[in-house]
Amino acid sequence: MSTLVIVGAQWGDEAKGKLVDVLGSEADMVIRYSGGNNAGHTVIAEGKEYKFQLIPAGILHPNVASILGGGMVICPSGLLEELKRTKAITADLGKLYISSAAHVVFPYHRLLDSLEEEARGQNKIGTTSRGIGPAYEDKVARLGIRMSEFVDPNRFPQRLREVLDVKNKYLQLFNKEPIEYDSLLKEYTGYADQLRPLVVDVEPMIQEAVKQGKRVLFEGAQGTFLDLDCGTYPYVTSSHPIAAGACLGTGVGPRAIDNVLGVCKAYTTRVGSGPFPTELNDKTGEWIREQGREYGTVTGRGRRCGWLDLILLRHSCRLNSLSGLVVTRLDVLSGLPELQVATGYKTPSGPVQHVPNDLVEFAHVEPAYLTMEGWEGDLRGCRKMEDLPASARAYLKFIEEFTETPVAIVSIGPDRKETIVVRPELIWG
Ligand code: IMP
């Protein structure tokens, strides 16, 4: 057993970055498999803070190969800026590769992202405005420009002209000025020259590593309920954050995956629009936001906060066939006398025990709560389960029982060492 997928089990921002950093140190290869710079991972290592948006957190380990997978959409200037920022903090980085199959994000994608949002009016999704949706739209429309074409000076000028002609027609529909070809070509050729040495067919490398039994970590971005197919559509991102996305975005089949860990917070958060049954629009919600510093890494937006929703989490365990859960931010809840967890939904047609596919139905469910005893004190010094207060352990046990999924790891602070490994066998086998 040597391959592991790390997936966000809720709506993203579950603190996957820390886990990828911790487990990445034990891996030979870390591959990000979906999304783009809509994601934001904060990693604190040896007292230094790193903010990653595209680069896998594995980069902080010099002996680990980090790969941006073919399922990603990559903003070249964002990537170069992130590399520069990271190198300014530490020179001791692992090798980075970019899949030649990944798609490139252009300025017209960002512009269209904002224009499409504006056009949605009240129904806006609340995107990160990074052009992610429009870049995936082009991929599906078979208009996208892949990394292999982007770094080929003989093909890129022609491809850009073809695509830009179409995109400028779109912009005209929105009464916007066309984007000028020559300056865009010049700017992007400059980026391509810098990224060319990193672009390779990564799929055979990954397949070979899996075959040789090397430790390969597939790093998810965003979260299960932002998945284009399995999330709360249309309030989703345009890629596949779920575990199945690890196969689509890296070139391995489902039988190559040994373990899947789902990272969930001890409560729930969501950024952007869309239904959120356990959302707390009150003082407790604000308290959680402040205690947990729940503000977006990418956009700085305050995250919507609420109680742990076990109906959602159980669905996530099944959608991702999770081997285990990683419960993060348990420390944040310290000080609340009582906690609520949703164990069912009430609907006008009676109680339900699953996540309805229909958005309107989901938007109108009312959670049925179970009240649990809270705990006090700073948990950040706890290093094993027995160090945790009894009611925190009872909380974790209830999560396990309800979701029928064992807790593998508990995180009680942002630092690498603030981690309790409960079941090591669920990590690498
Ligand atoms: P997009 O991915 O920018 O198109 O945004 C679509 C939805 O996904 C919006 O609700 C965003 O707030 C949400 N989203 C995208 N990336 C993240 C993330 O990394 N964490 C949490 N929410 C995200």
Side-chain angles (χ1 to χ4, degrees), residues 11 13 38-40 125-128 222 226 236-237 271-272 301:
W11 273 297
D13 309 315
N38 47 347
I125 291 164
T127 72
T128 58
Q222 287 85 41
L226 289 174
V236 290
T237 191
V271 191
R301 289 182 287 183

Side-chain angles (χ1 to χ4, degrees), residues 384-421:
K384 44 189 190 319
M385 281 298 264
E386 302 83 80
D387 298 341
L388 291 172
S391 44
R393 275 182 276 136
Y395 191 70
L396 294 170
K397 192 159 187 324
F398 189 72
I399 295 174
E400 286 190 324
E401 283 170 4
F402 195 92
T403 60
E404 297 167 338
T405 309
V407 171
I409 297 174
V410 181
S411 171
I412 29 81
D415 203 276
R416 280 177 186 170
K417 58 183 187 299
E418 292 162 341
T419 309
I420 303 174
V421 178

Side-chain angles (χ1 to χ4, degrees), residues 68-305:
L68 304 184
M72 292 185 70
V73 291
I74 299 169
C75 166
S77 57
L79 176 58
L80 287 165
E81 160 59 29
E82 202 176 315
L83 270 170
K84 196 168 140 202
R85 204 170 61 217
T86 311
K87 281 180 185 160
I89 306 176
T90 174
D92 222 8
L93 298 177
K95 232 171 147 40
L96 183 70
Y97 302 90
I98 305 169
S99 169
S100 47
H103 280 246
V104 181
V105 178
F106 288 93
Y108 49 78
H109 292 131
R110 281 191 292 279
L111 189 53
L112 285 165
D113 199 348
S114 308
L115 293 169
E116 287 172 8
E117 274 287 80
E118 221 175 281
R120 286 184 194 109
Q122 286 210 322
N123 296 328
K124 75 177 166 83
I125 291 164
T127 72
T128 58
S129 336
R130 295 294 193 271
I132 305 301
Y136 279 112
E137 284 167 33
D138 276 5
K139 171 171 159 172
V140 175
R142 286 145 299 173
L143 248 191
I145 298 179
R146 282 177 146 192
M147 274 290 166
S148 60
E149 298 167 304
F150 171 56
V151 298
D152 181 345
N154 294 319
R155 282 191 296 166
F156 180 52
Q158 176 63 22
R159 283 289 287 125
L160 185 65
R161 190 176 285 284
E162 287 162 10
V163 177
L164 195 61
D165 281 350
V166 179
K167 292 289 137 183
N168 278 337
K169 289 199 181 97
Y170 271 73
L171 290 174
Q172 222 174 6
L173 290 176
F174 286 102
N175 289 323
K176 291 287 161 196
E177 290 293 311
I179 291 178
E180 215 256 314
Y181 171 79
D182 288 328
S183 53
L184 184 63
L185 178 67
K186 188 160 176 259
E187 181 189 347
Y188 271 63
T189 300
Y191 302 145
D193 289 343
Q194 294 176 72
L195 293 178
R196 190 171 298 112
L198 309 182
V199 177
V200 281
D201 289 354
V202 295
E203 293 73 18
M205 278 170 61
I206 300 168
Q207 291 159 358
E208 195 52 34
V210 172
K211 190 175 136 195
Q212 287 179 14
K214 295 215 165 128
R215 282 186 169 175
V216 179
L217 194 159
F218 300 90
E219 171 186 344
Q222 287 85 41
T224 296
F225 295 105
L226 289 174
D227 186 277
L228 181 61
D229 284 326
C230 302
T232 47
Y233 189 89
Y235 298 103
V236 290
T237 191
S238 302
S239 66
H240 293 292
I242 59 164
C247 294
L248 296 172
T250 67
V252 300
R255 289 202 300 132
I257 308 292
D258 296 318
N259 279 339
V260 184
L261 290 180
V263 189
C264 67
K265 283 178 184 166
Y267 46 94
T268 313
T269 64
R270 175 163 205 175
V271 191
S273 322
F276 177 178
T278 60
E279 182 170 13
L280 288 165
N281 288 308
D282 61 9
K283 289 244 171 306
T284 311
E286 275 168 38
W287 185 88
I288 295 175
R289 186 175 311 115
E290 292 315 312
Q291 288 290 115
R293 290 189 300 281
E294 292 290 358
Y295 293 89
T297 320
V298 176
T299 60
R301 289 182 287 183
R303 297 180 183 134
R304 300 156 65 190
C305 299

